[in-house]
Amino acid sequence: MFDKIIQENRFKTQCVIILYVAIFIVIGLLVDIVRINASSLLGGFYALLTFQQLPIVTLCLLLVACGIVYYAISHFKGILLNGNEYKEIVKGFEETSQERELSRILEELVREACLDFRPKLYLMEAPFMNAFASGWSAHNSLIALTTTLVRNLKRDEIKAVMAHELSHIRHEDIRLTLVVGVLSNIMLLVVNYGVYMFLGNSRERGANTARNILMILQFVLPLLTLVLQMFLSRSREYMADSGAAYLMGDSMPMIRALQKISGSYAQSDFSEVDTNPTRSALYIVGFKEIFSTHPSIENRIKALLGK
């Protein structure tokens, strides 16, 4: 079962990367068409793709995107934990009984799942109940729990949350989410700035058409990336919930944890408290939003109950 899920997520990751690279190239070419003041849109594409005209913006965009993706992969821990105080709980170097208990829970899950890796475990100071997992691969992955979550959940519920996050790592969807999050933000930034590059009314029809397409993309791309993130995130949450229930041998601890976390969010909206938007799509429960990347708690509980 897990091999099939991993293969599917690897395929999704490859498709998403190819899609985003293709969009990046198209955006870069459109800006280049404006830059060279092409007389026709198709003629501009042909000249740039055959290097009759050097696609300077496109090449620079790809280099910058590759650099940012590489930086995000290399520094994902600092990026995601930034904005809050946090502490790594290292096996054998725990300082409190709470840290020792969390370390034991993770060790139990690693042993019960027969894994050949142990994610790094972080306790993050935050006034809200939540958790997330991230990383490029299983062997450099991490699981982060907020202090409020640890204080308010029972042991089996904390274990279920950690099993949920461990399932994300086992399914290799942490890589998919990392790539989508980084590339989406870069792409939207480039489109917004691309519209204002080389301002002025071009005399040539091709350049004007390219600028108009970029203006349309300013409104279309945010919706496209949102739909893509919602599709990927919602399917991954259902899989991780099922993975947690499978590891625990019981779906009730996961259900109780989801109910307590969502109940806390129902009483207070913490979206303005969390100053780091890069991890919002990674949380086990999303903030209250009209277009949430997470499925509803009711639907997740129904799925766990087999309804």
Side-chain angles (χ1 to χ4, degrees), residues 274-281:
D274 189 3
T275 57
N276 190 335
T278 60
R279 59 187 178 223
S280 59

Side-chain angles (χ1 to χ4, degrees), residues 12-31:
K12 284 181 182 178
T13 303
Q14 292 169 356
C15 289
V16 167
I17 292 174
I18 291 170
L19 174 63
Y20 274 96
V21 168
I23 295 174
F24 266 109
I25 291 173
V26 170
I27 292 170
L29 291 172
L30 287 170
V31 178

Side-chain angles (χ1 to χ4, degrees), residues 21 47 49 60 89 92 100 112-113 150 168 209 215 237 239 266 285:
V21 168
L49 290 172
C60 289
I89 301 175
R100 284 190 289 273
E112 290 163 4
V150 173
H168 279 311
T209 303
M215 292 182 69
E237 290 305 325
M239 289 193 300
V285 173

Side-chain angles (χ1 to χ4, degrees), residues 222-278:
L223 294 175
L224 174 64
T225 55
L226 178 62
V227 170
L228 182 60
Q229 287 178 328
M230 287 173 63
F231 167 73
L232 294 175
S233 185
R234 292 187 177 197
S235 62
R236 69 190 280 274
E237 290 305 325
Y238 284 123
M239 289 193 300
D241 286 344
S242 299
Y246 176 79
L247 282 174
M248 296 288 292
D250 183 6
S251 62
M252 289 311 299
M254 187 74 248
I255 291 174
R256 289 197 301 271
L258 289 173
Q259 288 173 331
K260 288 183 179 180
I261 297 170
S262 63
S264 174
Y265 277 89
Q267 296 175 9
S268 178
D269 181 12
F270 296 101
S271 58
E272 295 183 2
V273 177
D274 189 3
T275 57
N276 190 335
T278 60

Side-chain angles (χ1 to χ4, degrees), residues 3-292:
D3 288 340
K4 182 180 179 182
I5 291 172
I6 289 170
Q7 288 175 359
E8 289 177 352
N9 279 326
R10 283 177 180 170
F11 178 72
K12 284 181 182 178
T13 303
Q14 292 169 356
C15 289
V16 167
I17 292 174
I18 291 170
L19 174 63
Y20 274 96
V21 168
I23 295 174
F24 266 109
I25 291 173
V26 170
I27 292 170
L29 291 172
L30 287 170
V31 178
D32 270 315
I33 287 171
V34 177
R35 179 183 61 83
I36 66 175
N37 197 21
S39 58
S40 71
L41 189 65
L42 292 178
F45 275 123
Y46 180 79
L48 292 165
L49 290 172
T50 57
F51 282 82
Q52 294 176 19
Q53 291 276 355
L54 189 64
I56 297 173
V57 175
T58 306
L59 294 175
C60 289
L61 176 57
L62 288 173
L63 286 174
V64 170
C66 288
I68 294 175
V69 169
Y70 176 77
Y71 179 84
I73 291 170
S74 303
H75 299 82
F76 71 90
K77 183 195 79 174
I79 293 171
L80 292 172
L81 294 172
N82 183 49
N84 297 79
E85 293 184 11
Y86 60 88
K87 181 181 180 182
E88 182 180 357
I89 301 175
V90 182
K91 182 182 177 183
F93 295 90
E94 302 90 348
E95 297 180 357
T96 65
S97 58
Q98 182 187 71
E99 291 179 10
R100 284 190 289 273
E101 187 62 19
L102 292 174
S103 189
R104 277 195 292 267
I105 292 173
L106 180 57
E107 197 63 30
E108 287 174 13
L109 288 169
V110 169
R111 185 174 60 253
E112 290 163 4
C114 301
L115 302 179
D116 62 349
F117 66 91
R118 187 182 192 272
K120 290 183 178 181
L121 181 60
Y122 289 88
L123 192 59
M124 187 176 77
E125 186 67 40
F128 48 86
M129 298 170 62
N130 230 314
F132 66 87
S134 188
W136 182 250
S137 67
H139 293 281
N140 76 345
S141 58
L142 67 84
I143 292 175
L145 309 173
T146 66
T147 50
T148 305
L149 179 137
V150 173
R151 283 196 301 266
N152 287 278
L153 295 188
K154 295 180 179 178
R155 188 185 194 278
D156 63 338
E157 294 162 356
I158 294 173
K159 187 174 181 179
V161 169
M162 292 174 71
H164 173 101
E165 301 305 339
L166 192 60
S167 294
H168 279 311
I169 298 170
R170 294 178 77 190
H171 299 164
E172 292 192 3
D173 59 42
I174 52 173
R175 178 183 301 178
L176 181 62
T177 309
L178 184 63
V179 170
V180 170
V182 173
L183 293 182
S184 295
N185 286 316
I186 300 172
M187 190 170 63
L188 295 177
L189 184 67
V190 169
V191 169
N192 290 335
Y193 278 99
V195 172
Y196 300 104
M197 291 178 69
F198 314 107
L199 287 175
N201 293 323
S202 300
R203 297 178 181 177
E204 300 295 345
R205 187 176 61 183
N208 282 327
T209 303
R211 182 182 285 116
N212 291 335
I213 293 173
L214 285 169
M215 292 182 69
I216 294 170
L217 288 176
Q218 274 190 301
F219 302 98
V220 174
L221 279 182
L223 294 175
L224 174 64
T225 55
L226 178 62
V227 170
L228 182 60
Q229 287 178 328
M230 287 173 63
F231 167 73
L232 294 175
S233 185
R234 292 187 177 197
S235 62
R236 69 190 280 274
E237 290 305 325
Y238 284 123
M239 289 193 300
D241 286 344
S242 299
Y246 176 79
L247 282 174
M248 296 288 292
D250 183 6
S251 62
M252 289 311 299
M254 187 74 248
I255 291 174
R256 289 197 301 271
L258 289 173
Q259 288 173 331
K260 288 183 179 180
I261 297 170
S262 63
S264 174
Y265 277 89
Q267 296 175 9
S268 178
D269 181 12
F270 296 101
S271 58
E272 295 183 2
V273 177
D274 189 3
T275 57
N276 190 335
T278 60
R279 59 187 178 223
S280 59
L282 301 178
Y283 283 135
I284 189 170
V285 173
F287 291 116
K288 292 185 292 183
E289 299 171 344
I290 298 175
F291 299 106
S292 176

